[in-house]
Structures are given as structure tokens and as C-alpha cells.
Amino acid sequence: MLVEGIALGWVLIVLGAVLLLIEVYQPGFFIAVPATVLIILGVLLLLGVDILSSPTGLIVGVLAAIGAALVTVWLYSRLTPGKKPPETLSRDSLVGLEGLVVKEVDPETLAGKVRIGGMEWSARSESGSIPAGRKVIVIRSEGVHIVVKEIV
């Protein structure tokens, strides 16, 4: 049983290391915990702890796996950025915001441009043409553009 445990231990360590490498190149925390647990269980097998058939070894293996998982979660939480909201801007979040027409907007085409918060968005008007330089408000988003109406 010792030889099988050593061989399985190396397999678990290598598998855990591969999973950690995948985590490094595709971060997302989905495989860091299982990778760490596999490495710890592999080390236990290499040290001669019989985690497969001995009740004591099984308890040691489970406790080591839980401990490794907790430490991994704690370390990962220390490495990730704070819990602030994302700073991305989508066209759906523009509804209700005011902007400035930089290229004439009309209801028929998407050639019009509106600047909102320093970014230009493709736009069409709800009705009628709106010349450049006029203030508008976003009333909805459709597909890849926004729909605006002039502020009077």
C-alpha cells in the first residue's frame, strides 16, 4: 500500500500544480482551492499518512483539506482588490443621463453621436433631428446605440 500511496501522492501533487498553473493564467478562483487541497493530500500520502483506508488517516486528510481550503480562501481574499463596485459603464446605465450632441442625431440613422461623461455614444433621436451642440437626455438603449430626446 505504501508504493501505491507514494505514486498517488505524486499524481495528486502534479494535478494540483497543473490546476494552480491554469489558475495563474485564467484567474477566477474556481480551481485554486481544489488545487491546494490536492497538493496537501498528495504531500500527506508521500509522508506515509494512509488517508485512503485508515480511519485516523481519513480524519487527518479531511482536516488537512479543510485547513488548506480555508487558508487558500483567506490568502486569495487578501490578494484580490477591494469590494468596491465596478467602474465600467454600459449603455443601459446611461438611461436618464444628460449629454451633448456632437454629431447631428436623427430618428432614421445611427450616424449621430452624443458625448456623455467624456465618452461618445452612437445615438438616434426619439423624433426629429437634433443638431450638434444641443443638450439631450437618454431615454433608453437599443441594441448597440442609445435613444435620446432634446432637453428644452
Side-chain angles (χ1 to χ4, degrees), residues 18-131:
V18 168
L19 290 177
L20 280 178
L21 285 173
I22 292 171
E23 179 71 24
V24 167
Y25 289 106
Q26 295 292 325
F29 191 57
F30 296 111
I31 55 177
V33 172
T36 307
V37 169
L38 286 173
I39 291 171
I40 295 298
L41 292 177
V43 169
L44 287 175
L45 285 171
L46 288 179
L47 292 174
V49 178
D50 187 11
I51 62 172
L52 301 175
S53 59
S54 163
T56 306
L58 181 62
I59 292 171
V60 168
V62 168
L63 291 176
I66 291 171
L70 291 174
V71 168
T72 304
V73 169
W74 179 79
L75 283 174
Y76 210 87
S77 70
R78 304 287 291 169
L79 295 174
T80 56
K83 293 176 174 73
K84 58 184 178 178
E87 297 176 5
T88 58
L89 184 65
S90 70
R91 58 184 169 69
D92 292 329
S93 65
L94 298 174
V95 175
L97 296 181
E98 294 182 8
L100 183 69
V101 176
V102 293
K103 185 176 177 188
E104 182 178 1
V105 177
D106 65 55
E108 302 299 321
T109 68
L110 300 178
K113 298 287 181 186
V114 174
R115 180 174 290 126
I116 301 171
M119 293 182 65
E120 286 189 13
W121 298 85
S122 294
R124 70 176 187 84
S125 65
E126 186 176 42
S127 62
S129 293
I130 306 171

